[in-house]
Amino acid sequence: MSTETGRESRRSGVLVNVMRWMENLSDTQYAYLLLGPVFVLLGVVALYPLLRTFELSLYAVSLDLTSSSFVGIDNYVQLFTGGKNRFLPGGTTFVPSSLSFEALLNSALVVTIIFAVVSVLFETLIGLGQALILDQDFYGRRWVRAAIIIPWAVPIVIQGMIFFLMFNSNVGFATPPLADLGILAPTNTLNDTASATFIIIVADIWKTSAFMALLILAGLQSIDRGLYDVAKVAGASKWQQFKLITFPLILPTIGVAVLFRSVQAMRVYGIIDTVSSCAVVPSLSCMVVATFNTRQGTAAAIAFVTAAIIGIAVMGLIAWQGEDAI
């Protein structure tokens, strides 16, 4: 009996000491303590593969994948100097070989950046408009919210097939009117790089605007409605209420939404492969997939550069929002 009592006393003593130590921590130290397991998991799941990818990018792997040789940063030099880096049919390169329109559209880096910037910009604007409408009180609002989510719920393969049939130059109904306006090529539309890039951007905007709308709507719902009552008493117009109350308060939410979508947009692959092909519309992910089986060192270099670009974009957005906003 006395032995068990002694054990319980020691156990309770250790627990008490740990609890006292935690109570003496500052708020910042306590926050880092709780985040510690997350940092460990992140290091195992994300950091190690990233470092392993960088290590692989320093080697040239043989075509049969049986041997490799250390080449240092040669894979990166080839990517950025226009060396032997035509990986896909049609003369696709990592960086543009010139500033001509054709060369820019044949660059996977340029096309990926264009896709990310244009699609995220329009998705944010359209999502903001949808969120402002859904934030109003009107009959059937629940059903309208459900309807807006439908495009976001559509799988990428089905989404790609929808737009493939819509813009197919033989059977599609959407090509002729846009071709008459000079926006799309009238024939062989999905095999024209400029036309296919436009279609893929439209397809992505159609699908993902709902995602932006839901995130922004969450920010709108968190605004204290009493602020608008005070603004009305002060004689503020609808535009002044949006400019001085709504937009500043949802700006952090917009920043988070843009951050998430930018990361996803930089990794675009599925919609390209289902609507057209990577040979017509190149992207960084397309180049990784195309080169992985035969040139793993080059594929690793492209993947690492893509991760670096995403990291820079993320840090830029966080710096723009401020430390306390995200």
Side-chain angles (χ1 to χ4, degrees):
M1 185 69 177
S2 59
T3 304
E4 293 180 358
T5 304
R7 289 178 180 175
E8 292 295 330
S9 176
R10 286 195 297 272
R11 289 176 184 174
S12 61
V14 173
L15 181 61
V16 169
N17 291 334
V18 171
M19 294 298 296
R20 287 176 179 175
W21 174 75
M22 293 178 61
E23 290 176 355
N24 292 329
L25 293 176
S26 64
D27 291 341
T28 303
Q29 291 173 333
Y30 187 69
Y32 280 117
L33 177 64
L34 296 180
L35 290 174
V38 178
F39 289 149
V40 174
L41 182 62
L42 183 63
V44 173
V45 175
L47 186 58
Y48 173 76
L50 184 63
L51 295 177
R52 184 70 180 88
T53 299
F54 177 72
E55 180 186 4
L56 184 61
S57 70
L58 302 179
Y59 289 83
V61 184
S62 62
L63 293 179
D64 58 3
L65 306 180
T66 58
S67 62
S68 62
S69 59
F70 182 79
V71 295
I73 63 171
D74 186 57
N75 287 322
Y76 294 96
V77 172
Q78 289 185 6
L79 288 179
F80 286 99
T81 59
K84 299 177 181 179
N85 58 0
R86 294 181 180 272
F87 308 115
L88 300 173
T92 298
T93 59
F94 183 79
V95 294
S97 55
S98 67
L99 295 180
S100 65
F101 182 71
E102 181 179 358
L104 291 175
L105 290 183
N106 282 335
S107 166
L109 179 61
V110 172
V111 171
T112 302
I113 292 175
I114 291 175
F115 173 85
V117 172
V118 176
S119 62
V120 172
L121 173 62
F122 281 94
E123 286 162 8
T124 303
L125 294 176
I126 295 173
L128 176 60
Q130 292 175 340
L132 290 173
I133 293 174
L134 295 177
D135 191 48
Q136 305 301 314
D137 189 13
F138 58 89
Y139 180 76
R141 181 177 63 174
R142 181 184 306 174
W143 298 106
V144 175
R145 288 182 177 180
I148 286 180
I149 299 175
I150 291 176
W152 185 38
V154 173
I156 291 180
V157 175
I158 298 177
Q159 173 199 9
M161 185 57 63
I162 291 172
F163 280 85
F164 174 83
L165 295 175
M166 284 176 56
F167 290 96
N168 187 286
S169 55
N170 296 323
V171 298
F173 64 88
T175 297
L178 294 178
D180 293 339
L181 296 175
I183 298 176
L184 299 179
T187 59
N188 212 20
T189 307
L190 296 177
N191 289 325
D192 177 74
T193 301
S195 300
T197 302
F198 173 81
I199 294 168
I200 289 168
I201 290 175
V202 171
D204 191 74
I205 292 172
W206 172 79
K207 178 179 176 64
T208 322
S209 294
F211 173 78
M212 302 294 282
L214 291 176
L215 290 182
I216 297 174
L217 179 61
L220 289 171
Q221 295 286 300
S222 65
I223 298 177
D224 184 5
R225 302 298 164 174
L227 296 175
Y228 295 103
D229 296 333
V230 174
K232 290 178 182 179
V233 173
S237 63
K238 290 290 185 180
W239 167 247
Q240 289 174 327
Q241 293 177 33
F242 174 79
K243 179 181 177 181
L244 301 176
I245 299 176
T246 305
F247 187 72
L249 293 179
I250 65 172
L251 189 58
T253 304
I254 294 176
V256 173
V258 170
L259 179 62
F260 287 160
R261 270 303 300 143
S262 298
V263 171
Q264 294 176 347
M266 288 295 296
R267 301 177 300 174
V268 59
Y269 173 76
I271 187 63
I272 294 176
D273 198 41
T274 53
V275 173
S276 182
S277 71
C278 288
V280 177
V281 182
S283 73
L284 297 178
S285 295
C286 283
M287 298 187 80
V288 172
V289 173
T291 58
F292 182 77
N293 289 330
T294 56
R295 304 175 64 176
Q296 288 189 352
T298 301
I302 298 171
F304 187 80
V305 170
T306 303
I309 294 173
I310 293 174
I312 292 172
V314 168
M315 289 187 292
L317 287 170
I318 293 176
W320 170 63
Q321 283 292 97
E323 183 179 353
D324 298 330
I326 296 181

